[in-house]
Amino acid sequence: MKINQNLTFNNSEGIFIGSQTNCKDCKIGIYGVPYDGTTSFRPGTRFGPSAIRNISNGIESFCPQLNLDLEDLKYVDLGSLDIPFGAPEKVINLVKQATILLMQKGIKPLLLGGEHSITEGAIAGIVDFHPELIILQLDAHADLRDEWLGSKHNHACVMRRCIEILPSKKIFQMGIRSGTSKEFKELKEKKRLISHQSGQVAKSLDKAMQPYLGMPIYLTLDLDWFDPSVMPGTGTPEPGGFLWQDFAAVIEVIKKHNLIAADIVELAPKLDHSEISSILAAKIARSLIMLLSLEK
């Protein structure tokens, strides 16, 4: 599907369960970014968007936690963005353009990655519409390096780049358990690091975000936030992660807030032949569609 001279979406790999294929009356727009050009350990996230879509028909449309059904919501799946091979700069710019396109139509974007470097493009596309934007990052890694492997737009640098373009400079980073000493020093000094005890309600997150009720929130979810026991299909797994019940605790906090956009990144489905990683990612996508549908 050709949108303009720069943007083309490929929907040959199917669509997410219940999605429309046009934007009419839709408030939420899904698009994939099949990119893993800066992967530094195990590649394969370029297959993430198609895996989430293909397996989504195996999940129920109803979510008992949110008491919502996808069948009652209108959302479009544009397909996956056609992107060039090679360096990330052109990809990030295309993601920015695609995000702006949806924002101009009053549609809340949900990106299916792809590696984490794509988040920079989404944030760049949103901040002109919402300069007061706040980012919530669920991740095993801080991603605050200034450069990695010679690139400033590497997945390991994505939150550094996002902070640079974020007018509010407000970011909460939850579940970080891997990074350099410099990164952890910054996390603590800037009071960005949100602790969470697995199996418990998300008290620290709730308290940190309480002053920002009504403010626009962007959620970026790197799937290595989850423990490798339930999310083996990711390029940089990190022991000591979280389970679905912990994401459910985060949902309880987010549903109080004004979520305007989100992404799910770092699914490498071919690293998990059981496909439980893809199923988990699809269920997360279902929850995010529902959270994006809530009016605040």
Side-chain angles (χ1 to χ4, degrees), residues 17 59-72 283 286-287 290:
I17 179 176
I59 63 174
E60 297 284 359
S61 62
F62 177 70
C63 173
Q65 180 181 5
L66 291 168
N67 194 31
L68 291 171
D69 198 310
L70 291 179
E71 293 182 356
D72 299 324
K283 190 172 179 181
R286 183 189 73 179
S287 294
M290 293 174 177

Side-chain angles (χ1 to χ4, degrees), residues 17-53:
I17 179 176
S19 297
Q20 295 183 185
T21 55
N22 62 76
C23 296
K24 182 176 174 57
D25 299 325
C26 290
K27 295 183 178 180
I28 300 134
I30 301 168
Y31 73 92
V33 189
Y35 181 67
D36 58 5
T38 78
T39 301
S40 54
F41 185 33
R42 303 191 298 175
T45 56
R46 64 187 181 276
F47 303 112
S50 60
I52 293 172
R53 291 186 174 104

Side-chain angles (χ1 to χ4, degrees), residues 34-194:
Y35 181 67
D36 58 5
T38 78
T39 301
S40 54
F41 185 33
R42 303 191 298 175
T45 56
R46 64 187 181 276
F47 303 112
S50 60
I52 293 172
R53 291 186 174 104
N54 290 337
I55 213 159
S56 66
N57 288 311
I59 63 174
E60 297 284 359
S61 62
F62 177 70
C63 173
Q65 180 181 5
L66 291 168
N67 194 31
L68 291 171
D69 198 310
L70 291 179
E71 293 182 356
D72 299 324
L73 306 177
K74 288 191 175 183
Y75 50 100
V76 60
D77 187 343
L78 295 174
S80 286
L81 191 59
D82 279 347
I83 56 173
F85 290 104
E89 287 82 1
K90 289 183 179 180
V91 176
I92 290 167
N93 184 54
L94 287 171
V95 171
K96 177 182 177 179
Q97 292 182 50
T99 302
I100 289 173
L101 175 72
L102 290 176
M103 298 297 292
Q104 288 173 334
K105 293 178 178 293
I107 296 175
K108 298 177 180 178
L110 173 59
L111 285 66
L112 306 180
E115 58 157 80
H116 210 165
S117 63
I118 68 172
T119 301
E120 178 188 346
I123 298 300
I126 291 172
V127 291
D128 284 345
F129 297 87
H130 296 282
E132 71 276 36
L133 185 70
I134 295 167
I135 300 175
L136 171 59
Q137 175 196 9
L138 305 186
D139 204 326
H141 306 92
D143 294 342
L144 288 169
R145 299 171 191 261
D146 185 58
E147 66 87 27
W148 181 241
L149 299 178
S151 171
K152 285 182 171 289
H153 300 281
N154 191 283
H155 66 98
C157 312
V158 63
M159 301 320 295
R160 174 66 61 215
R161 302 287 84 81
C162 286
I163 291 168
E164 289 173 351
I165 60 178
L166 189 68
S168 73
K169 306 301 181 187
K170 181 59 66 175
I171 174 173
F172 297 107
Q173 297 175 270
M174 182 180 182
I176 311 300
R177 55 191 187 274
S178 180
T180 66
S181 59
K182 183 178 179 180
E183 286 177 299
F184 272 93
K185 181 181 179 182
E186 178 178 338
L187 284 169
K188 293 172 183 177
E189 288 180 350
K190 299 292 186 180
K191 297 182 179 179
R192 297 192 194 119
L193 185 60
I194 305 297

Side-chain angles (χ1 to χ4, degrees), residues 201-245:
V201 296
K203 288 183 178 180
S204 295
L205 179 63
D206 197 18
K207 182 179 179 181
M209 295 189 67
Q210 184 66 29
Y212 304 98
L213 287 170
M215 300 287 281
I217 305 296
Y218 184 101
L219 173 65
T220 178
L221 199 166
D222 186 326
L223 290 167
D224 63 27
W225 183 78
F226 288 93
D227 192 75
S229 63
V230 295
M231 178 52 67
T234 189
T236 51
E238 189 69 39
F242 301 101
L243 307 177
W244 176 264
Q245 62 189 358

